Amino acid sequence: YTQDSLVHKGVLCILEQMERNFEFSVDEYYHIYTRGVDKRDIVTDDADRELFLKLLFLSNSTERIQLRNIPKGISVYDIKRKDTFVDIGEYALMTNHIHMILEPSLERGVSLMVQSLGRKYVRYVNGKYKRTGTLWEGRFKSSLIDKDTYLLSCLRYVELNPVRAGLVKRPEDYRWSSFNEHMGDVADERLLDFDDVFLGLAEKDKDRRVNYRNFVREGIDDVQLQNIRTVTQKGGVLGDEAFVEKLSR
């Protein structure tokens, strides 16, 4: 599989205002990015990383679930949630920021989940490190993704972040992203809701994983890399002309 065979060629559409240029809607896909204030670290050690992912899972629930109320010996990821705010397409937890691809299940689902996660994690960090004040750099940044033209590219962009940052040589060597869950190689941290685009890569799980791994390993070219970064920073839309026209109706 080549990149052209897996990703439809689309037209990049950037709206130049710095404010978000769309409303979050159910059944659309969004690239979410937030980082530490002044680009400071949001995680210091693996205990922080493990806790962050647990809170990501628990924050994606319309019912309030307290980590401290979960019995010992029970995996957080085995907790049954009645309803979730979003489907999590993927994530990459970096040292000073987090990337996520989210599909809202409810109106305002993205904002409610991200805000809940942010509050819970700040309380943990402030308690552990005896600090006060905010951890996050203002409102999270986001872009709306046309799943038919750019979703696969965004999935690859996110899961290659640790490689681009020089933390690992291969995406599968980084524990704190969703790549290994896509590959079926996680024992506990089960956070993903596989989207139709990923599932459509092949009928059989094994073939699908091979196709996705090969696609990610092809890498992302500089133009596409910059497009994704720019649109996310500006709160724009990644899609072709037909997709953007549909949004304007």
Side-chain angles (χ1 to χ4, degrees), residues 6-231:
L6 290 174
V7 181
H8 299 290
K9 293 181 179 179
V11 177
L12 174 69
C13 298
I14 305 175
L15 304 180
E16 292 299 332
Q17 297 87 348
M18 288 302 292
E19 293 299 316
R20 189 173 294 137
N21 294 286
F22 52 83
E23 297 293 331
F24 290 113
S25 300
V26 174
D27 298 329
E28 298 286 0
Y29 288 86
Y30 302 89
H31 175 203
I32 306 300
Y33 166 85
T34 189
R35 70 183 179 188
V37 65
D38 295 330
K39 301 182 181 180
R40 297 176 187 172
D41 292 352
I42 61 172
V43 291
T44 301
D45 54 27
D46 284 354
D48 292 350
R49 296 177 180 93
E50 289 176 355
L51 192 282
F52 188 97
L53 295 185
K54 289 177 180 178
L55 293 180
L56 173 57
F57 180 87
L58 296 177
S59 297
N60 189 23
S61 172
T62 57
E63 296 177 297
R64 188 176 181 183
I65 306 174
Q66 296 286 355
L67 183 61
R68 64 174 177 267
N69 294 335
I70 297 175
K72 291 184 178 180
I74 301 297
S75 170
V76 165
Y77 305 100
D78 289 332
I79 298 297
K80 302 301 181 185
R81 298 166 299 178
K82 184 177 180 181
D83 292 298
T84 58
F85 291 123
V86 298
D87 285 350
I88 299 175
E90 71 170 359
Y91 63 89
L93 175 59
M94 306 296 287
T95 304
N96 71 351
H97 63 277
I98 172 76
H99 290 271
M100 295 177 284
I101 303 293
L102 306 179
E103 179 188 9
S105 306
L106 304 171
E107 295 296 332
R108 298 189 64 238
V110 169
S111 296
L112 290 169
M113 194 281 284
V114 174
Q115 290 167 7
S116 176
L117 171 63
R119 287 193 298 266
K120 288 181 169 115
Y121 188 67
V122 167
R123 285 197 295 269
Y124 160 79
V125 169
N126 286 355
K128 178 176 178 179
Y129 295 105
K130 305 296 188 292
R131 65 182 299 278
T132 60
T134 186
L135 178 68
W136 306 106
E137 186 180 70
R139 186 175 69 170
F140 63 87
K141 298 184 184 301
S142 59
S143 61
L144 169 60
I145 305 166
D146 177 2
K147 73 174 183 178
D148 294 327
T149 59
Y150 272 97
L151 183 57
L152 272 176
S153 293
C154 288
L155 294 176
R156 175 168 60 185
Y157 167 84
V158 168
E159 291 181 344
L160 283 176
N161 256 265
V163 177
R164 287 194 300 273
L167 300 177
V168 293
K169 292 184 177 180
R170 306 178 305 168
E172 56 262 44
D173 295 331
Y174 192 70
R175 180 181 168 189
W176 313 107
S177 84
S178 53
F179 182 80
N180 285 319
E181 187 169 353
H182 274 126
M183 294 296 99
D185 292 333
V186 294
D188 194 28
E189 292 149 4
R190 299 181 298 277
L191 285 154
L192 298 190
D193 302 282
F194 294 139
D195 56 82
D196 292 341
V197 175
F198 173 74
L199 293 174
L201 293 177
E203 290 188 9
K204 295 181 179 179
D205 287 346
K206 181 179 179 180
D207 294 338
R208 184 186 308 121
R209 290 162 182 162
V210 169
N211 291 342
Y212 184 71
R213 183 180 64 238
N214 291 342
F215 174 69
V216 172
R217 285 179 175 177
E218 286 176 8
I220 187 168
D221 64 60
D222 291 341
V223 173
Q224 211 168 51
L225 179 69
Q226 191 56 49
N227 285 347
I228 293 171
R229 286 175 171 170
T230 301
V231 171

